[in-house]
Amino acid sequence: MARSFESTRNNHIKATPSEAIVMGLSQDGGLFVPRDLSEIKLDTEVLKDNNFNQMAKKIIGTFFDDFTEEQLNESVYGAYDEKFDTQEIVPVVKVGDTFIMELFHGKTIAFKDIALSILPYLMKNAEKNCDSKEEIVILTATSGDTGKAALEGFKDIQGIRIIVFYPENGVSQVQKLQMVTQEGKNTHVVAIDGNFDDAQSAVKGILNDEKIRLELKSRNIKFSSANSINIGRLIPQITYYYSTYEKLVKDKEINRGDQVNFVVPTGNFGNILAGYFAKRMGLPVNKLICAANENNILRDFINTGIYDINRPFIKTMSPSMDILISSNLERLLYYLSDCDNNYIAGLMKDLSTNKKYEVNDTIKKKLKEEFWSSYCNEEETLETIKKVYQSFDYVMDTHTAVAYKTYEDYIHATQDQTKTVILSTASPFKFPGSVYKAIFGASDQSELTLMLSLSERTGLMIPKVVDGLGNREVLHTRSCAPEKMTNEIMLILSEGQDD
Ligand SMILES: *Cc1c(COP(=O)(O)O)cnc(C)c1O
């Protein structure tokens, strides 16, 4: 029998792994989770001498056990190939005494590529396993990086269409150009006049709208999600926690069994949650350090147990972390409450009615045991990029800098000597304007010009996938208000496959 997934908010809503991936979000608004996480163990010894793909196969197959060997092979080897500019897929670089896990070697130079290269394969196979013949329409809200990575992943995949919504004024010029120049007959990109939370809330609302669902069903269409609310995105991210650990063992930086810390620049809590899953599966993890930017709601939550979105949304130079409603936190709370679905449903109700909830003392205690959190402001982000460049000749992007600075705070506060890995979630060339400014001072040149200057002055090569971005044809010009997203979707669907 296949592993059972259930809604965080209702343990009567069950799904097989394939059903959970195809649906994306549970119909009650909850997120799909495997209930028996404590039964899912994977000793690092088992992965000894495995390469990234072999590890990915074992980890994904452990969770999605209704996939055949052949389906897992097709998915993993289809995803992690020459699309990545390094065979290691996720290299680890030593910078001073810390380790930087570079998650940006895929097609869109951000960490989303790890999950979104494989999600299309998982979804197609999951559809087969569910015996579903409907066309899938992927709805995606993006703070900048998910959108492009999802478009690349799903481009020209038969039987699937993808619609991406991004905040018109909330993404970098490079991010925007990457999306609006996207090729592929089945891709659609819409700018919205709002922020990421507006887009994500609207998408969740549409996915849960019974009326729309029935109407689409009559047209043989169903929606799914490529956001990290989809469990098919979360699970593949566990792999790099294991692969990095193995690399440290192999390089004799640690002995097998030694604990390590991971510092994660966090937005929707998907990346760090994959680290939590790895820890529960037996990876020796000491602390998961949650780094926030000036939208520091997660820092406040981890330190106080109160989640309060009654605060301004701040636009920062680490836009992929500009989020106040961090979806995957719901999954963490589910596990920290010992899978108490009713309790989670109550918290989420508080969140939607009062824009606030407070967890109980047991959960507050567990949060502090597993996590540590601080934040980095705009000025510190710039200072950190400059300092690390000058000290170690290493160029990091703004999100990675937020994590780096948070780790410095952590050492200062705890004196912890545990070996630590900082997750680098984007290439500096994805945010060349800010990175250039940090290292060489403010400039009024365009971001694309600064990409060239950054390359010239640091000696780093511009990743091929963004080289010449400014010369590509703009193929997407749609825009709408967040409350008009349903209309826009219906319009796109009525136009058929050619955008
Ligand atoms: C998406 C993203 C993040 C945040 O990751 P979550 O899984 O949403 O917490 C951080 N940095 C970059 C560059 C990203 O693209």
Side-chain angles (χ1 to χ4, degrees):
M1 214 179 69
R3 188 177 294 286
S4 173
F5 286 67
E6 69 180 34
S7 163
T8 42
R9 301 182 195 177
N10 181 344
N11 69 348
H12 298 295
I13 302 184
K14 302 273 189 201
T16 64
S18 292
E19 287 165 352
I21 293 168
V22 170
M23 283 192 267
L25 185 67
S26 167
Q27 302 199 348
D28 63 338
L31 307 185
F32 283 114
V33 278
R35 187 174 182 94
D36 49 359
L37 199 52
S38 55
E39 287 173 15
I40 306 179
K41 292 283 178 226
L42 190 62
D43 195 280
T44 63
E45 192 79 45
V46 177
L47 299 175
K48 205 172 144 191
D49 300 325
N50 279 199
N51 65 22
F52 189 89
N53 287 10
Q54 291 165 323
M55 286 187 202
K57 226 183 102 179
K58 273 187 197 136
I59 289 166
I60 295 167
T62 302
F63 284 88
F64 302 152
D65 59 356
D66 57 348
F67 278 61
T68 64
E69 178 83 10
E70 200 188 337
Q71 290 177 324
L72 288 171
N73 276 330
E74 185 200 330
S75 303
V76 167
Y77 289 90
Y80 306 131
D81 60 7
E82 318 70 69
K83 283 196 286 301
F84 287 78
D85 67 11
T86 158
Q87 259 193 338
E88 285 181 288
I89 307 297
V90 178
V92 182
V93 180
K94 194 166 183 184
V95 172
D97 292 329
T98 56
F99 300 90
I100 310 262
M101 187 202 297
E102 293 188 345
L103 292 161
F104 53 78
H105 289 271
K107 275 206 104 162
T108 75
I109 59 176
F111 100 98
K112 306 287 194 295
D113 287 327
I114 311 287
L116 285 163
S117 307
I118 194 165
L119 183 65
Y121 293 97
L122 295 176
M123 198 169 283
K124 273 222 80 120
N125 282 304
E127 254 225 309
K128 262 183 229 151
N129 294 344
C130 298
D131 223 2
S132 161
K133 301 269 186 310
E134 287 160 317
E135 183 191 10
I136 294 183
V137 174
I138 307 275
L139 298 184
T140 297
T142 185
S143 57
D145 291 333
T146 289
K148 177 63 183 180
L151 289 163
E152 270 305 324
F154 284 101
K155 169 178 81 178
D156 291 331
I157 299 246
Q158 279 284 320
I160 302 183
R161 260 192 280 183
I162 171 160
I163 308 176
V164 167
F165 296 93
Y166 72 95
E168 171 99 68
N169 297 309
V171 299
S172 80
Q173 194 195 0
V174 172
Q175 288 178 312
K176 183 172 176 168
L177 278 172
Q178 280 186 310
M179 288 188 277
V180 298
T181 59
Q182 177 66 47
E183 297 179 345
K185 280 212 276 294
N186 61 341
T187 62
H188 306 269
V189 179
V190 185
I192 67 151
D193 175 16
N195 62 38
F196 172 72
D197 286 329
D198 298 328
Q200 174 162 262
S201 299
V203 164
K204 277 187 173 177
I206 295 165
L207 289 174
N208 282 320
D209 190 319
E210 186 66 27
K211 226 178 90 202
I212 301 180
R213 184 166 40 239
L214 290 176
E215 185 188 328
L216 289 182
K217 202 172 163 62
S218 69
R219 295 159 63 178
N220 212 25
I221 294 175
K222 71 167 162 261
F223 285 144
S224 188
S225 166
N227 283 98
S228 55
I229 52 179
N230 193 320
I231 192 77
R233 243 190 83 177
L234 194 72
I235 300 304
Q237 295 180 173
I238 298 170
T239 310
Y240 47 75
Y241 286 93
Y242 272 92
S243 72
T244 298
Y245 190 88
E246 280 310 299
K247 167 112 171 110
L248 295 187
V249 171
K250 207 166 161 204
D251 291 353
K252 302 208 163 40
E253 297 287 356
I254 56 171
N255 293 312
R256 190 173 297 286
D258 288 354
Q259 292 199 321
V260 292
N261 298 319
F262 289 98
V263 191
V264 189
T266 299
N268 224 359
F269 213 79
N271 197 358
I272 196 166
L273 186 69
Y276 176 76
F277 272 50
K279 184 174 183 182
R280 291 283 307 264
M281 291 162 72
L283 188 72
V285 178
N286 175 39
K287 283 278 186 216
L288 291 163
I289 300 168
C290 174
N293 66 21
E294 288 183 11
N295 293 293
N296 52 15
I297 189 163
L298 286 168
R299 185 225 27 184
D300 292 349
F301 177 65
I302 287 168
N303 292 318
T304 65
I306 299 171
Y307 197 83
D308 185 353
I309 52 179
N310 295 293
R311 60 174 81 205
F313 181 100
I314 302 168
K315 278 195 342 198
T316 73
M317 62 182 91
S318 43
S320 305
M321 299 161 72
D322 291 348
I323 296 175
L324 293 180
I325 306 173
S326 209
S327 291
N328 277 294
L329 198 57
E330 180 171 343
R331 286 190 167 112
L332 176 70
L333 295 175
Y334 166 87
Y335 291 114
L336 296 186
S337 70
D338 289 327
C339 312
D340 186 341
N341 313 69
N342 290 333
Y343 180 71
I344 300 303
L347 291 181
M348 294 306 135
K349 193 145 180 269
D350 286 347
L351 186 64
S352 70
T353 43
N354 308 323
K355 299 203 175 307
K356 186 176 165 171
Y357 61 75
E358 178 167 3
V359 296
N360 63 36
D361 289 346
T362 317
I363 296 183
K364 282 181 190 169
K365 187 160 154 275
K366 286 189 196 166
L367 275 172
K368 288 210 171 143
E369 281 164 11
E370 308 278 355
F371 297 89
W372 192 91
S373 185
S374 172
Y375 83 105
C376 173
N377 68 28
E378 294 290 272
E379 207 179 302
E380 291 164 336
T381 305
L382 293 174
E383 283 166 12
T384 303
I385 293 171
K386 181 170 188 175
K387 189 176 73 186
V388 171
Y389 179 65
Q390 290 182 337
S391 313
F392 306 111
D393 200 22
Y394 185 80
V395 184
M396 53 175 48
D397 98 295
T398 48
H399 303 76
T400 312
V402 166
Y404 196 95
K405 166 64 173 53
T406 300
Y407 176 51
E408 290 180 330
D409 290 351
Y410 173 76
I411 300 180
H412 190 75
T414 65
Q415 323 294 323
D416 181 15
Q417 299 286 317
T418 308
K419 289 265 167 77
T420 297
V421 178
I422 294 171
L423 279 71
S424 177
T425 47
S427 156
F429 288 100
K430 193 139 194 179
F431 303 94
S434 303
V435 175
Y436 184 92
K437 178 176 167 193
I439 300 178
F440 303 111
S443 158
D444 50 16
Q445 303 277 329
S446 80
E447 202 164 43
L448 290 180
T449 308
L450 291 176
M451 189 188 276
L452 294 169
S453 310
L454 184 65
S455 168
E456 270 164 28
R457 295 188 67 174
T458 61
L460 285 176
M461 291 246 291
I462 296 177
K464 271 214 292 291
V465 285
V466 287
D467 208 2
L469 193 56
N471 306 327
R472 293 182 203 164
E473 189 186 351
V474 171
L475 300 167
H476 304 271
T477 53
R478 290 177 179 277
S479 65
C480 75
E483 57 283 5
K484 290 279 164 58
M485 282 166 55
T486 309
N487 289 355
E488 198 67 22
I489 293 166
M490 292 307 170
L491 212 63
I492 290 170
L493 295 183
S494 66
E495 285 173 6
Q497 282 264 354
D498 283 300
D499 192 8

